[in-house]
Amino acid sequence: MTIDNNAPHSNAESLEVARDDLRLEKFLPYRLSVLSNRVSNAIAQAYGARFDLTIPAWRVMAILGRFPDLSAAELVEQTAMDKVAISRAVSSLLKNDYITRSEDPADRRRQVLNLSELGRDVYERIVPLAQQYENDLMGSLSAEERQQLDSIIEKLMDRAQAWAERGLID
Amino acid sequence: MTIDNNAPHSNAESLEVARDDLRLEKFLPYRLSVLSNRVSNAIAQAYGARFDLTIPAWRVMAILGRFPDLSAAELVEQTAMDKVAISRAVSSLLKNDYITRSEDPADRRRQVLNLSELGRDVYERIVPLAQQYENDLMGSLSAEERQQLDSIIEKLMDRAQAWAERGLID
DNA sequence: TAACATTGGTTTCAATTGTAACCACTGCCA
DNA sequence: TGGCAGTGGTTACAATTGAAACCAATGTTA
């Protein structure tokens, strides 16, 4: 049942055909996606069940915990999330009383968001939990590798960002 | 409008409060997710438009291109995708005539999947395209960094895998 | 060989997400 | 000040996804 990932092909003519095959298991975008999903899902399960939070909602809380008095638009900027996703996360957080919303008197379209008391409590309980997962992940790397990973991600992010900005590769 | 990511807090008491804040911009699971989404979406846009393929459908083709004669269950195993997602990808690929399906006479529940002629054509046109993106990404790294990334991903993947298997961190 | 558990795969239904249209307010310029 | 473009945010609707129920074939045990 298990497949030998090193065997190029199981049929006879493989030798010629295999040349430009795509080795999905080595294909960076694919590996990133699998890794990211595994990690996010595991963590989301840990806090989602306990505090009734979706991933976007938790992200909003995480940002507000660090940067009070943001508007939805500023959250969009910070998180790279879609504005609709933010809007929904905000309204579910309001329903849970995890955040507060107040009008900006200077601009009545703008709504200033903050963690509520309750929200900050929850935030402070989730943070160590999230950090525990991250530490566990990072624990599988040496200090040197952690540092390498950091700079590599930065570079990849810039490149991918560039695709989005000046359109894709021809 | 832009936020200074290095400023811990904008309010007065920040010095004490900031200690155990979560710095989302440095939080590995978050960064992985942003990076992965940016990359996958960019690539999907490139082939999706031209060949009417979703990401899961393309993944199925990529695996079948390398490993003929797989069943849906074996695809699940290879891709770590959900079996429902596979089922839907398969049926959309059948609709496009990109793959063929035949009964396994030895086990009449099992259906053997393969790229069709047309499917292989498409596959062979997408592969270089996908590789071009990957090369572009990898081009932002040195040979050494590429090698480092490879081994780091492997380690992280193992760790995240372990979460899934023996349940989460207590 | 009758019952029941297991496996391969699909369907159904609800929840989540993305796109586009939209409303309310502000800022600008005639 | 009146019109109009731009911004902040929400709503509506369609497409995608996920969980669970389901059907059909097989394997297993008595």
Side-chain angles (χ1 to χ4, degrees), chain A residues 1-5 7-11 17 20-36 38-40 42-43 45-46 58-59 62-63 65-68 70 73-74 77-80 120 123 127 130-134 136-141 145 148-157 159-161 163 168-170, chain B residues 1-5 7-11 17 20-36 38-40 42-43 45-46 58-59 62-63 65-68 70 73-74 77-80 120 123 127 130-134 136-141 145 148-157 159-161 163 168-170:
Chain A
M1 185 63 131
T2 296
I3 292 167
D4 176 0
N5 281 326
H9 261 137
S10 38
N11 58 5
V17 183
D20 61 357
D21 266 8
L22 183 68
R23 310 209 312 149
L24 202 55
E25 338 78 70
K26 287 287 167 199
F27 187 57
L28 182 61
Y30 173 68
R31 294 168 84 200
L32 282 179
S33 149
V34 172
L35 176 59
S36 160
R38 279 198 186 139
V39 170
S40 293
I43 301 183
Q45 224 179 306
W58 160 243
R59 280 192 187 160
I63 296 286
R66 250 165 81 57
F67 305 109
L70 296 187
E74 287 158 344
E77 217 181 296
Q78 273 295 294
T79 59
R120 181 154 290 278
Y123 172 77
V127 166
Q131 276 164 346
Q132 196 187 348
Y133 276 93
E134 191 187 30
D136 191 61
L137 262 191
M138 291 300 204
S140 64
L141 305 181
E145 285 173 322
Q148 291 164 352
L149 177 59
D150 183 67
S151 105
I152 289 172
I153 289 184
E154 215 59 56
K155 290 180 186 176
L156 295 178
M157 199 78 91
R159 186 58 61 106
Q161 179 68 35
W163 292 348
L168 305 173
I169 310 178
D170 32 293
Chain B
M1 186 62 131
T2 297
I3 292 168
D4 177 359
N5 281 326
H9 262 136
S10 36
N11 59 6
V17 184
D20 61 357
D21 265 8
L22 183 68
R23 310 210 311 149
L24 201 56
E25 337 80 69
K26 286 289 168 198
F27 187 58
L28 182 61
Y30 173 68
R31 295 168 84 199
L32 282 178
S33 150
V34 171
L35 176 59
S36 161
R38 278 200 187 136
V39 170
S40 292
I43 301 183
Q45 223 180 306
W58 161 243
R59 282 194 186 158
I63 296 287
R66 249 165 82 57
F67 304 110
L70 296 187
E74 287 158 344
E77 215 182 298
Q78 273 297 293
T79 59
R120 181 153 291 278
Y123 172 78
V127 166
Q131 276 164 345
Q132 196 187 348
Y133 276 92
E134 190 187 31
D136 191 59
L137 262 191
M138 291 299 205
S140 64
L141 305 180
E145 285 173 322
Q148 291 163 352
L149 178 59
D150 183 66
S151 106
I152 288 173
I153 288 184
E154 215 58 57
K155 289 179 187 178
L156 295 178
M157 199 78 93
R159 184 59 59 108
Q161 179 69 34
W163 293 348
L168 305 173
I169 309 178
D170 28 294

Side-chain angles (χ1 to χ4, degrees), chain B residues 87-157:
Chain B
S87 170
R88 293 198 257 241
V90 163
S91 81
S92 92
L93 289 170
L94 285 170
K95 211 167 289 166
N96 283 355
D97 287 317
Y98 284 173
I99 63 174
T100 62
R101 172 166 66 178
S102 58
E103 264 195 2
D104 180 348
D107 181 343
R108 280 167 44 227
R109 293 168 304 184
R110 192 167 177 280
Q111 328 231 273
V112 179
L113 304 170
N114 274 296
L115 291 183
S116 66
E117 296 267 322
L118 175 58
R120 181 153 291 278
D121 281 3
V122 168
Y123 172 78
E124 266 153 20
R125 292 211 278 155
I126 293 184
V127 166
L129 212 159
Q131 276 164 345
Q132 196 187 348
Y133 276 92
E134 190 187 31
N135 288 342
D136 191 59
L137 262 191
M138 291 299 205
S140 64
L141 305 180
S142 70
E144 204 189 2
E145 285 173 322
R146 285 196 278 271
Q147 149 69 32
Q148 291 163 352
L149 178 59
D150 183 66
S151 106
I152 288 173
I153 288 184
E154 215 58 57
K155 289 179 187 178
L156 295 178
M157 199 78 93

